[in-house]
Amino acid sequence: MPVRAGAVAAAVDDVAGLLAAHDDPLELADGLVRHCRDLLDAAHAGLLVQDVQGHLQLLASTGDTAEALELFQLETRQGPCVDCHRSGTPVQCPDAEQLRQRWPGLWPVAERRGVAAVHAQPLVVAGRTIGVLGLFRDREGPLEPVELAVARAMASLGAVGITQLERVAAGQRVQEQLQQALDSRVVLEQAKGVLAERHRVSPEEAFAQLRAAARSQRRRLHDVARDVVQGSPAQPR
């Protein structure tokens, strides 16, 4: 599916709006991976960022498949996203055979999840790689030049956005604020589980409820998720 200029403009506008209106790395990361998945015709997308020790951690994903593939790479220290972070350069694995040969441990997980191609784009700020955008496709084939350009632009926007958000908190280092966002993800996953069980919905639908509640209440996503986990009366429905 060709990349449409209007869709790219709308995605950039939305991510820029998140950056301008919220001091919330989690919501920015979620918006980034969702837009990249849709713009670049990927089945799934994930975002890895460095913690205070310089280790990659999962900050956002579009669903269970992206989460499983990203976490497997982190646990085994192998895969296109890990290699992308190490080199600071994009990594393309356009077909299943290359995926099997280059990362034999990752291949069975990808195959079970229906992933046939993986593309990783580094998030770079001032020459430093702070994370990786992972795109997982259910069909083989390389990214076209225009898709590569869009992936690079979105990754750059995400890198600058995350860095800017972390600098909002006066007196705190970028890495410290980012660590808080990574820690917040644990609470977010707990809240998603609570809502999914309570309302008999999927984790993605539960996350949509949390995000909608955060926006309508003009609160941080972490704070709304914490209220759900703690059983606060004011909870998303």
Side-chain angles (χ1 to χ4, degrees), residues 11-31:
V12 170
D13 184 63
D14 182 60
V15 173
L18 291 173
L19 177 58
H22 301 281
D23 178 18
D24 193 340
L26 283 175
E27 189 163 3
L28 176 66
D30 172 68

Side-chain angles (χ1 to χ4, degrees), residues 16 50 64 82 86 91 98 111 117 144 158 162 173 188 191 196 201 206 208:
Q50 289 182 168
D64 293 343
V82 173
R86 286 173 180 155
V91 174
Q98 286 193 42
E111 184 181 34
E144 299 296 329
I162 290 174
R173 294 181 300 134
L188 180 62
V201 297

Side-chain angles (χ1 to χ4, degrees), residues 2-107:
V3 176
R4 294 179 291 109
V8 175
V12 170
D13 184 63
D14 182 60
V15 173
L18 291 173
L19 177 58
H22 301 281
D23 178 18
D24 193 340
L26 283 175
E27 189 163 3
L28 176 66
D30 172 68
L32 186 72
V33 295
R34 286 187 294 104
H35 284 305
C36 287
R37 175 195 61 190
D38 298 339
L39 286 174
L40 300 170
D41 195 24
H44 318 280
L47 182 65
L48 304 176
V49 295
Q50 289 182 168
D51 61 15
V52 292
Q53 284 81 36
H55 301 141
L56 283 180
Q57 301 285 348
L58 179 63
L59 183 59
S61 69
T62 56
D64 293 343
T65 293
E67 181 171 349
L69 290 167
E70 297 285 34
L71 290 178
F72 183 88
Q73 293 181 81
L74 295 179
E75 290 169 1
T76 62
R77 298 183 181 180
Q78 64 166 292
C81 293
V82 173
D83 287 359
C84 177
H85 181 249
R86 286 173 180 155
S87 66
T89 59
V91 174
Q92 283 208 62
C93 186
D95 58 64
E97 182 60 23
Q98 286 193 42
L99 187 60
R100 185 184 66 81
Q101 290 183 359
R102 296 175 66 180
W103 302 285
L106 178 63
W107 163 240

Side-chain angles (χ1 to χ4, degrees), residues 105-230:
L106 178 63
W107 163 240
V109 181
E111 184 181 34
R112 287 196 300 270
R113 297 278 181 167
V115 171
V118 182
H119 309 283
Q121 182 71 37
L123 274 65
V124 181
V125 174
R128 183 171 64 93
T129 303
I130 67 167
V132 178
L133 171 67
L135 302 170
F136 307 94
R137 280 179 161 177
D138 55 10
R139 60 180 177 81
E140 296 186 338
L143 292 179
E144 299 296 329
V146 66
E147 293 175 321
L148 284 170
V150 171
R152 183 167 57 251
M154 294 298 287
S156 296
L157 180 61
V160 172
I162 290 174
T163 302
Q164 290 293 340
L165 285 178
E166 306 322 321
R167 287 174 176 163
V168 169
Q172 287 191 332
R173 294 181 300 134
V174 172
Q175 293 89 344
E176 291 174 342
Q177 184 75 358
L178 184 55
Q179 185 64 48
Q180 291 178 9
L182 291 168
D183 294 341
S184 294
R185 184 179 173 275
V186 176
V187 178
L188 180 62
E189 291 300 318
Q190 293 174 341
K192 284 166 58 178
V194 170
L195 292 179
E197 175 66 23
R198 180 183 300 161
H199 302 304
R200 297 294 189 271
V201 297
S202 69
E204 286 195 33
E205 291 171 324
F207 184 84
Q209 292 180 14
L210 289 167
R211 186 173 61 246
R215 291 183 176 180
S216 66
Q217 298 170 22
R218 296 184 180 276
R219 301 174 64 204
R220 291 169 60 93
L221 190 59
H222 167 77
D223 295 337
V224 175
R226 182 193 59 204
D227 286 350
V228 170
V229 173
Q230 293 179 348

